Amino acid sequence: MLCQECQKNQATIHLTKMVNGQKTETHLCEVCAAKHGPFSLSIGLPLPFSIHNLLSGLMQEEDSAAAEVNPEQAPLTCPTCGMTYPQFRRQGRFGCPTCYETFESKLEPLMNRIHGSHHHEGKIPLRGGKGIDQRRRLDELKGKLLQAVAKEAFEEAAVLRDEIKRLSLEQEESKEC
Amino acid sequence: MLKTMPWQSPAAYWMQEGPDQDVILSTRIRLARNVSGLPYPNFQTEENAQALLQQIEEIIPLLEESTENRWQLFRLKDLNESQRSILVDKHLMSPNLGERETQAALLLREDEAVSIMINEEDHLRIQVLFSGLQLEPAWNLANTLDDLLESRIDFAFSDRYGYKTACPTNAGTGLRASVMVHLPALVMSQKIGPLLTGINQLGMVARGIYGEGTEAIGHVFQISNQISMGKPEKEILAGLQAIVKQMVAEERQARRMLAERTPLQLRDKVGRSLGMVQNAYLMQSQEAVKRWSDLRLGVELNLIEYVGYDQLNRLMVQLQSGWLNQEAPADETLTPEQRDVLRAKLLRQELREAVISPMK
């Protein structure tokens, strides 16, 4: 077998990669393997597939049905970077942060497949995330209020209602500044 | 400006002594962040890329003041092949950073505990690298640095999808936490296969470094979280911590079993590898990795004296072509055979004092 990289020497080093149950093999000669080094994380190896190819596969499956329904429609295009949805699907990477809004209608199933979720939990940026924290807190309180009403815990509900009112007012005020 | 350049020494911050170092080499926290309103590095203009580098340069005084450490920005175009390889081998940058040569840069803290890649796949990748198992301290530092940077840069963030990264696999927290482990006994006792499969089912990824599973030559694996959205950072870290702790316990148990059942074979294996590295004059990289793993196992089981973990960690850099190529005349690279000669010489020197501990 010839080395996959130089296609000249005999391949003597055989690398098998298992990622999420996906097995890939790379065959290299000593000279080419030495370039990668014995402990290299092998990120740079030209493997037969990349995570982006895999993603692209995930998305194509999803959309083939939808495309047939409406072949005439112009593809979704990001106003900031000009990336079209078919392009995103091919590359498996966004062009710019605005793409998240542009392709929003398609993202939910994709994120579910990758992460098993389509909703961020965790850190919110201190400056850029102002208001988000409050919004999350408000949502949480509203949920609790519904529960309290359902189990007829009216005293608790009254406390929650006041807290929601206070937070909503705060939010209004901060918008005005 | 840093006092010594990172490629002048094979040592890095993560190579010092650390918790659970008999099994765990290092802990890495990586946060992917992007600038709001700008195309990602793959699609951005040269102008935008340079503007970001400029902006980062202006933040350095703030970083220096708040971390009481020197920082320096290295533009990739100013680094030669050998210097880049050493930075990769020291795990301070990814090999991919070199792809966007004119735009990419590495912002490095002097102690090398923090390296921030600029214009890799994402605008910023904040990396903290600690020794041994230290997920929480590493996260705390990364989190603080993230806040500092965010005080000057508007990060792309959405209420729903969290930090907006170039690749959807990193979206949400943008967090990738990894632990590098040495598992020779689990490989030798053929328990590694099921263990690695099990890890995948728990939402983590295990990757062999230079070879996989039973074929992983150095018996070094990297365990990381696969999922970055839907769970808060602390929960992701706790999940990884629990799995890694379990692996540490299993590896230690497998070592005890080997030591009890086949003490002579174990001593023989370690002793032969020590004999090889102390006496060989040609050492290919593959064999070096194999010997290295045996020596580490020897240190882990107290079968070898006068070799430290820090020394073995440094060898991970020194045995590689990047480090060895420094000996080449300018603008030339060494042939594989020339490297084998240098590699053998280096091993003879580094391990000349090592001895097998006396039998009890």
Side-chain angles (χ1 to χ4, degrees):
Chain A
M1 186 185 298
L2 284 181
C3 169
Q4 285 179 352
E5 204 156 292
C6 63
Q7 298 289 336
K8 277 185 228 150
N9 305 329
Q10 202 64 25
T12 50
I13 288 157
H14 309 279
L15 183 90
T16 313
K17 241 185 143 158
M18 284 285 276
V19 180
N20 304 335
Q22 285 273 352
K23 188 171 165 185
T24 53
E25 289 181 2
T26 312
H27 307 280
L28 301 171
C29 70
E30 205 158 301
V31 182
C32 292
K35 281 188 222 148
H36 297 291
F39 297 97
S40 102
L41 298 180
S42 68
I43 301 164
L45 281 183
L47 291 166
F49 80 91
S50 72
I51 184 81
H52 303 111
N53 295 346
L54 277 183
L55 280 179
S56 166
L58 270 184
M59 285 186 270
Q60 254 149 26
E61 204 182 299
E62 203 110 286
D63 292 327
S64 51
E68 277 166 32
V69 179
N70 210 343
E72 305 278 301
Q73 207 177 32
L76 284 173
T77 306
C78 180
T80 306
C81 67
M83 179 171 278
T84 64
Y85 184 66
Q87 228 177 328
F88 167 58
R89 213 170 55 176
R90 263 199 313 279
Q91 298 178 341
R93 279 193 240 193
F94 296 105
C96 74
T98 316
C99 291
Y100 278 79
E101 280 78 43
T102 313
F103 308 134
E104 168 109 48
S105 59
K106 312 269 189 183
L107 285 188
E108 204 176 296
L110 177 68
M111 291 302 184
N112 280 338
R113 282 195 182 186
I114 300 172
H115 299 286
S117 163
H118 59 271
H119 212 108
H120 171 59
E121 299 266 342
K123 185 167 180 177
I124 295 165
L126 293 175
R127 228 160 27 88
K130 252 186 203 153
I132 294 175
D133 233 356
Q134 279 177 327
R135 236 175 299 151
R136 272 196 195 176
R137 176 92 185 114
L138 263 178
D139 287 343
E140 192 188 325
L141 288 173
K142 281 176 188 165
K144 277 190 185 160
L145 178 60
L146 284 177
Q147 278 173 5
V149 172
K151 62 181 183 197
E152 299 184 10
F154 295 117
E155 261 175 57
E156 191 191 335
V159 175
L160 285 166
R161 186 203 54 210
D162 292 346
E163 180 69 10
I164 291 171
K165 212 185 259 174
R166 195 184 58 79
L167 268 179
S168 309
L169 264 177
E170 255 177 42
Q171 217 172 27
E172 286 302 308
E173 277 164 19
S174 65
K175 264 183 207 156
E176 279 159 24
C177 312
Chain B
M1 280 282 275
L2 309 187
K3 277 189 210 142
T4 42
M5 295 296 113
W7 50 83
Q8 288 171 331
S9 156
Y13 189 81
W14 65 266
M15 295 178 190
Q16 58 192 311
E17 301 214 336
D20 296 311
Q21 63 178 345
D22 59 320
V23 182
I24 298 180
L25 288 98
S26 64
T27 297
R28 186 177 71 126
I29 295 288
R30 186 220 65 197
L31 294 175
R33 298 291 185 254
N34 287 279
V35 183
S36 173
L38 283 188
Y40 295 126
N42 256 338
F43 302 93
Q44 75 187 345
T45 59
E46 188 67 32
E47 208 182 337
N48 282 344
Q50 297 307 327
L52 177 59
L53 291 177
Q54 182 65 38
Q55 197 178 2
I56 295 293
E57 213 139 29
E58 284 160 15
I59 296 176
I60 291 178
L62 173 73
L63 289 171
E64 292 196 322
E65 194 186 317
S66 30
T67 64
E68 293 175 355
N69 229 303
R70 292 163 197 258
W71 292 70
Q72 189 172 339
L73 187 75
F74 296 97
R75 287 166 201 257
L76 265 275
K77 64 173 168 58
D78 299 332
L79 304 181
N80 66 33
E81 202 58 46
S82 176
Q83 290 165 343
R84 288 180 199 187
S85 302
I86 293 169
L87 291 172
V88 172
D89 295 339
K90 287 174 88 170
H91 306 157
L92 297 174
M93 65 174 241
S94 73
N96 303 353
L97 190 64
E99 282 171 21
R100 268 173 292 277
E101 199 180 52
T102 57
Q103 309 185 343
L106 185 72
L107 178 61
L108 194 67
R109 196 168 90 167
E110 182 156 49
D111 62 3
E112 299 180 12
V114 187
S115 60
I116 301 173
M117 292 194 281
I118 298 146
N119 289 331
E120 207 238 31
E121 183 182 284
D122 292 297
H123 287 133
L124 298 178
R125 287 200 162 178
I126 306 166
Q127 300 195 99
V128 173
L129 252 158
F130 279 5
S131 59
L133 182 58
Q134 297 197 63
L135 282 165
E136 205 181 322
W139 156 253
N140 289 339
L141 177 54
N143 191 23
T144 310
L145 290 164
D146 180 37
D147 289 344
L148 263 177
L149 291 166
E150 204 246 337
S151 71
R152 298 283 181 88
I153 304 171
D154 288 326
F155 285 156
F157 183 86
S158 105
D159 194 353
R160 185 164 185 201
Y161 294 118
Y163 290 94
K164 296 161 153 186
T165 52
C167 182
T169 53
N170 294 318
T173 56
L175 167 68
R176 189 78 66 221
S178 323
V179 177
M180 204 177 281
V181 291
H182 186 227
L183 307 175
L186 285 172
V187 176
M188 279 155 67
S189 51
Q190 301 186 336
K191 288 183 184 144
I192 195 76
L195 192 74
L196 296 184
T197 317
I199 284 170
N200 275 333
Q201 284 162 355
L202 294 168
M204 303 286 161
V205 190
R207 194 164 53 174
I209 287 166
Y210 209 63
E212 273 302 321
T214 50
E215 304 295 320
I217 309 166
H219 307 143
V220 180
F221 300 86
Q222 185 173 278
I223 319 293
S224 345
N225 65 301
Q226 186 179 13
I227 286 163
S228 58
M229 191 186 287
K231 283 185 196 168
E233 292 83 354
K234 294 257 171 180
E235 217 173 289
I236 293 174
L237 297 173
L240 182 62
Q241 170 98 7
I243 284 172
V244 168
K245 276 278 183 195
Q246 180 67 27
M247 293 183 91
V248 170
E250 297 209 16
E251 169 66 20
R252 284 185 186 146
Q253 202 199 345
R255 286 178 194 172
R256 269 197 303 275
M257 295 260 282
L258 288 173
E260 277 167 25
R261 291 189 188 165
T262 53
L264 272 183
Q265 284 85 337
L266 208 56
R267 183 176 278 272
D268 181 70
K269 187 181 175 67
V270 171
R272 277 170 190 270
S273 282
L274 182 60
M276 284 291 182
V277 298
Q278 285 179 329
N279 295 289
Y281 279 78
L282 288 171
M283 180 66 73
Q284 293 188 352
S285 68
Q286 270 208 308
E287 184 185 349
V289 177
K290 236 185 266 176
R291 303 293 170 208
W292 174 90
S293 180
D294 289 348
L295 293 179
R296 197 175 206 277
L297 179 64
V299 173
E300 288 158 359
L301 290 167
N302 294 318
L303 290 172
I304 295 189
E305 289 172 6
Y306 306 112
V307 184
Y309 287 110
D310 53 338
Q311 202 180 351
L312 288 165
N313 288 340
R314 282 198 304 275
L315 279 173
M316 290 178 84
V317 174
Q318 291 167 303
L319 294 176
Q320 303 225 47
S321 43
W323 182 262
L324 297 171
N325 267 333
Q326 289 188 119
E327 305 256 332
D331 297 328
E332 274 179 48
T333 47
L334 301 172
T335 64
E337 187 167 51
Q338 287 173 314
R339 276 202 298 269
D340 294 347
V341 173
L342 285 175
R343 194 178 286 118
K345 185 175 155 200
L346 198 133
L347 282 168
R348 288 198 311 276
Q349 281 171 352
E350 279 288 322
L351 298 163
R352 64 182 182 277
E353 280 164 19
V355 288
I356 289 285
S357 56
M359 270 181 93
K360 279 168 203 145

